[in-house]
Amino acid sequence: MPQPLERTNDFVIKFANVNGSGSASANTLFAKSILRMGVPVSPRNIFPSNIQGLPTWYEVRISEAGHLGARGGVDMMVAMNPQTWDKDVASIEPGGYLFYDSTKPMPPSKFRDDITVIGMPLTDICNRTYSDPRQRQLFKNIIYVGALSALLDIDLKEVEKLIGEQFKGKDKLIAPNIQALHMGRDYATKTFACPIGLKVRRADKVGDRIFIDGNAAAALGCVYGGATVAAWYPITPSSSLAEAFARYAARYRVDKATGKAKVAIIQAEDELSSIGMVIGAAWNGARAFTATSGPGISLMQEFIGLAYFAEIPAVIFDVQRGSPSTGMPTRTQQADILSCAYASHGDTKHVLLFPEDPREAFDFAADSFDLADRLQTPIFVLLDLDIGMNDRLCAPFAWDDARRMDRGKVMTYEELEAGKDFGRYLDVDGDGIPFRTYPGTHPTRGAFFTRGTSKDRYARYTEEGGAYADNMQRLLRKFETAKRIVPKPILRRASESTPIGVIYFGSTSPAMNEAMEALEARGVHMDTLRVRAFPFHDDVIDFVLQHEQVFVVEQNRDAQLRMLLVNEGGIDPARLISVLHYDGTPITARFIIRDIAERLESLNLAPRMKVVS
């Protein structure tokens, strides 16, 4: 029989609850209390897309080493949902711990011999203490947080401080919550041998990092990037981005003299309307964006094509989820790459940005408006649910107050009045980007309307094949220009020369970093390249050509990034080996290590090593 796990600042605890039970705030309280002790945590809220009463989970990885990716496996399960009991108990690692509500007896067959079981009669305690049914449920959550503080040796003062902050302005709720917290801790201290083998020890590994979700970070980036118009239609998991923008705008986009808002935030009747509003606002000179997910991108296709062909700047945040169709709205994927890269019918190619964490979500959000203006085209910022809706430790945001908006090639009244040649689709310097004017810049010159039909360099309607082809070739030149100004990929060389490379992007980053560290320790050396944008910088193609084999790690079924590399980079498909994870859960270092190790062994490209299950 395995011995009970003994780990300090390095374990995974998972809460199995019922949706709508109020457990989310208590579980977040638990995670933040460990963070306040200086120990990095990475929480993930796993919730249903349906109605109240269905199962929900909240997983917290505690890692003093700073690993923020999902690990896989559970060291301690807090089982509060009878519906998922069997699955939850089965997920516990041998030697792990099960904490449950023991008010009702459970048959021995419902337990495992290779784990430590800790039963606490939570419902009975609440029934004896509280008369109100809702109070019984809510305080039950706080009571088990108190019990866990004793079992895991968490500093109770940190939890108390967090309760005070959480209920600031609702002071009458502070004392009852702290009482429930102590009730749980006191029971655990008197009843169990505390602490157990899993312990939290105060450290100093958080540093100056901040704790924020990617959607909120992107929303703040929109404020700093100068966005004044947001049009959106609610869809999981992007809604909180627009909602966060509204909160930040209420604070930072209000005229101090009049108290009036300096933004327009519109919840449209559908996704098609929202992107139409964004394009209209952007054509008029506003910095405008929408936030959506895969199904919304599908509905926006025709208008996206208009923005591409009429060359109107716009920013689209796609917070990706399980797909296709309705798919799994509350699960994560990276499966909208192709639908965004080639959105709309005909020959279209769009700029995509791939942030890895909330810090880059902030940076890329702000940068996307400059890119949209400079390139006069839609810019897609591809987040996903794992980044967008989960709190993540990241570097603090930075901003240069001297920075000014880059509006690109905009012809002024003075230039038009002086008779400067203005062709709305005229390329004067070979970069593929024409000059534009804001509507009304000049009473008789400049652009006053736009169209989605074919036109010549001076925006005159024509269906002449030569003029159409000339325009389409210019759009390709603009796409080549984009390669030089989008975020460059990040290269990390292995400690030894190697013929093997790995390409990855976005939210796979934490798991990839951990996996590469583990493989390097086992003598498997691979160079890595994190792609941050499409079109691909020349460095991406060079990286592939410098290696005999390159793994491409992504979270979709059809190897969409690999497909783009083959299509757009002219890469021999035989060079690229897909590592695909698409069950809706975040990719883990264990999955990457196992998959790459098995492939390397089959190709005789690495020493035999232990494969992590």
Side-chain angles (χ1 to χ4, degrees), residues 338-357:
L338 291 178
S339 62
C340 290
Y342 303 126
S344 194
H345 54 280
D347 294 325
T348 54
K349 290 183 181 181
H350 300 290
V351 176
L352 316 180
L353 305 182
F354 305 121
E356 71 162 346
D357 65 3

Side-chain angles (χ1 to χ4, degrees), residues 322-380:
S323 59
S325 187
T326 304
M328 296 188 292
T330 58
R331 299 293 184 263
T332 196
Q333 271 189 357
Q334 296 172 311
D336 294 348
I337 302 166
L338 291 178
S339 62
C340 290
Y342 303 126
S344 194
H345 54 280
D347 294 325
T348 54
K349 290 183 181 181
H350 300 290
V351 176
L352 316 180
L353 305 182
F354 305 121
E356 71 162 346
D357 65 3
R359 167 59 193 264
E360 282 196 345
F362 170 82
D363 289 342
F364 288 8
D367 294 344
S368 66
F369 294 96
D370 281 351
L371 286 170
D373 276 345
R374 287 182 65 183
L375 294 167
Q376 299 175 30
T377 198
I379 304 293
F380 290 80

Side-chain angles (χ1 to χ4, degrees), residues 109-130:
S109 60
K110 289 292 185 179
F111 299 100
R112 284 169 45 188
D113 294 334
D114 60 345
I115 60 175
T116 299
V117 177
I118 303 169
M120 181 172 170
L122 293 165
T123 300
D124 184 55
I125 293 171
C126 289
N127 288 344
R128 285 188 277 106
T129 310
Y130 308 104

Side-chain angles (χ1 to χ4, degrees), residues 51-89:
I51 57 174
Q52 178 173 313
L54 291 180
T56 184
W57 293 268
Y58 189 86
E59 182 176 291
V60 182
R61 183 174 186 184
I62 296 100
S63 173
E64 186 172 345
H67 298 310
L68 301 179
R71 191 200 70 182
V74 178
D75 300 315
M76 184 176 195
M77 176 63 71
V78 180
M80 295 291 131
N81 188 356
Q83 291 176 281
T84 60
W85 176 274
D86 292 340
K87 179 181 178 181
D88 295 333
V89 172

Side-chain angles (χ1 to χ4, degrees), residues 507-545:
S507 66
T508 60
S509 187
M512 277 298 308
N513 293 337
E514 184 180 354
M516 291 304 103
E517 180 183 309
L519 288 168
E520 184 92 1
R522 301 176 192 189
V524 180
H525 306 286
M526 293 180 288
D527 296 328
T528 64
L529 189 77
R530 180 165 67 86
V531 174
R532 300 200 294 166
F534 173 77
F536 300 124
H537 192 275
D538 289 341
D539 290 354
V540 177
I541 309 306
D542 291 343
F543 179 85
V544 176
L545 297 178

Side-chain angles (χ1 to χ4, degrees), residues 1 4 7 43 49 71 96 141 146 152 186 234 238 277 312 314 344 347 409 451 463 485 573 577 608:
M1 295 297 295
R7 292 176 183 166
S49 59
R71 191 200 70 182
N141 302 323
L152 304 175
D186 292 345
S238 72
M277 293 173 184
I312 300 171
S344 194
D347 294 325
K409 294 180 177 179
R451 55 159 55 99
E463 294 185 20
I485 62 176
I577 305 172
R608 183 171 297 277

